């Protein structure tokens, strides 16, 4: 028997997600509860049902990188390092308009499957609606380099073409903006700090590539060792 919610709790739930009043007029409280359940499932690492990728909360709030911190901490002494190959599908609005939303969803899933096949052992995260990052984490034993962008795009086009109608001309096959990141974090205190840091750097890498302010492999290093700069480095 379902546990009944009092009016105050129901009102608080709806206040957290007021859009359910217009999108789910028949059962807004149930819709609000489902949103909370889905958010918790995402945090715990349940893949996105539409694409098969992990969702951002698994990275920023969950334990997606816990094992990676343990492995890297015990195996490396030059900082915790992760690579990322970010693939952003260009013009998804045109794909949906041309082929319909079911095919659009298939394009997104095929993008994730292609990244997973190209980078076995990587953890693929959906960082935006149409953008995905293959995280080349320590357990994958993969590293990022400046030559990965072109072959990644070519393989994506080959794999995604299979979910499009056979007569689709080349001009209607989606293209991808591919960004590359190598992030090193010096002396992280615990694994919980890694997800938000990586998320911020994925965002920055994606924006820098799309706006033309950076091209090729972007390398960044973040110090978390609590060291205070000496006089020579202050000026």
């Amino acid at each position: 028997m379902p546990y009944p919610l009092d009016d105050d709790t129901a009102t608080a739930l709806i206040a957290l997600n007021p859009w359910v009043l217009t999108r789910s007029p028949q059962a807004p409280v149930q819709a609000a509860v489902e949103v909370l359940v889905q958010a918790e499932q995402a945090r715990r690492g349940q893949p996105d049902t539409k694409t098969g990728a992990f969702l951002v909360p698994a990275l920023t709030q969950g334990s997606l990188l816990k094992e990676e911190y343990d492995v890297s901490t015990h195996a490396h002494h030059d900082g915790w390092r992760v690579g990322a190959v970010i693939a952003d599908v260009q013009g998804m609005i045109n794909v949906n308009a041309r082929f319909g939303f079911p095919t659009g969803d298939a394009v997104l899933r095929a993008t994730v499957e292609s990244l997973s096949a190209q980078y076995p052992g990587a953890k693929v995260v959906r960082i935006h609606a149409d953008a995905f990052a293959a995280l080349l984490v320590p357990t994958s034993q993969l590293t990022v380099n400046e030559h990965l962008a072109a072959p990644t795009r070519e393989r994506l086009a080959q794999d995604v073409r299979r979910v499009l109608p056979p007569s689709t001309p080349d001009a209607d096959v989606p293209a991808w903006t591919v960004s590359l990141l190598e992030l090193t974090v010096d002396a992280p205190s615990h694994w919980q700090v890694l997800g938000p840091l990586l998320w911020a750097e994925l965002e920055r890498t994606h924006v820098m590539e799309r706006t033309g302010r950076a091209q090729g492999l972007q390398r960044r290093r973040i110090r978390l060792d609590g060291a205070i700069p000496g006089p020579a480095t202050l000026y």
Side-chain angles (χ1 to χ4, degrees):
M1 180 178 178
Y3 183 78
L5 295 178
D6 59 74
D7 291 342
D8 289 343
T9 302
T11 300
L13 279 171
I14 294 174
L16 289 172
N17 300 280
W19 56 267
V20 300
L21 290 171
T22 55
R23 297 191 187 180
S24 301
Q26 302 301 321
V29 174
Q30 180 180 346
V33 171
E34 290 175 355
V35 169
L36 292 178
V37 170
Q38 291 168 3
E40 178 60 18
Q41 289 174 335
R43 187 188 70 80
R44 295 190 181 194
Q46 179 169 309
D48 175 29
T49 56
K50 182 179 292 186
T51 66
F54 293 108
L55 293 168
V56 168
L59 179 64
T60 58
Q61 304 170 28
S63 58
L64 190 64
L65 297 180
K66 183 178 186 302
E67 182 183 10
E68 307 306 331
Y69 171 80
D70 294 340
V71 170
S72 187
T73 299
H74 290 92
H76 304 287
H77 303 285
D78 57 346
W80 184 86
R81 184 171 293 117
V82 63
V85 180
I86 305 168
D88 180 21
V89 188
Q90 299 175 8
M92 272 302 299
I93 188 172
N94 298 322
V95 173
N96 290 327
R98 171 78 169 80
F99 301 108
F101 285 99
T103 298
D105 291 347
V107 166
L108 296 178
R109 178 171 284 275
T111 296
V112 172
E113 291 174 350
S114 179
L115 289 174
S116 297
Q118 292 183 66
Y119 303 104
K123 296 183 177 180
V124 182
V125 178
R126 188 178 190 180
I127 63 171
H128 287 297
D130 308 327
F132 305 88
L135 305 182
L136 311 187
V137 289
T139 57
S140 72
Q141 298 184 346
L142 300 173
T143 56
V144 66
N145 65 69
E146 61 272 16
H147 305 297
L148 291 180
T152 297
R153 281 192 294 266
E154 293 171 4
R155 175 68 181 273
L156 283 165
Q158 294 173 6
D159 292 342
V160 168
R161 175 173 274 285
R162 299 189 185 105
V163 305
L164 298 174
S167 59
T168 301
D170 290 342
D172 288 338
V173 177
W176 289 262
T177 299
V178 176
S179 314
L180 305 173
L181 168 68
E182 181 185 82
L183 174 66
T184 302
V185 182
D186 287 328
S189 56
H190 45 75
W191 62 266
Q192 289 91 337
V193 305
L194 296 174
L197 282 175
L198 178 54
W199 163 246
E201 293 304 326
L202 290 171
E203 286 274 16
R204 180 154 67 133
T205 301
H206 181 235
V207 170
M208 294 284 282
E209 180 74 30
R210 290 200 61 176
T211 57
R213 287 181 284 172
Q215 293 182 339
L217 177 58
Q218 301 179 46
R219 287 188 172 94
R220 303 209 179 86
R221 192 173 199 111
I222 299 175
R223 293 188 63 181
L224 293 179
D225 57 4
I228 300 175
T233 60
L234 288 175
Y235 304 100

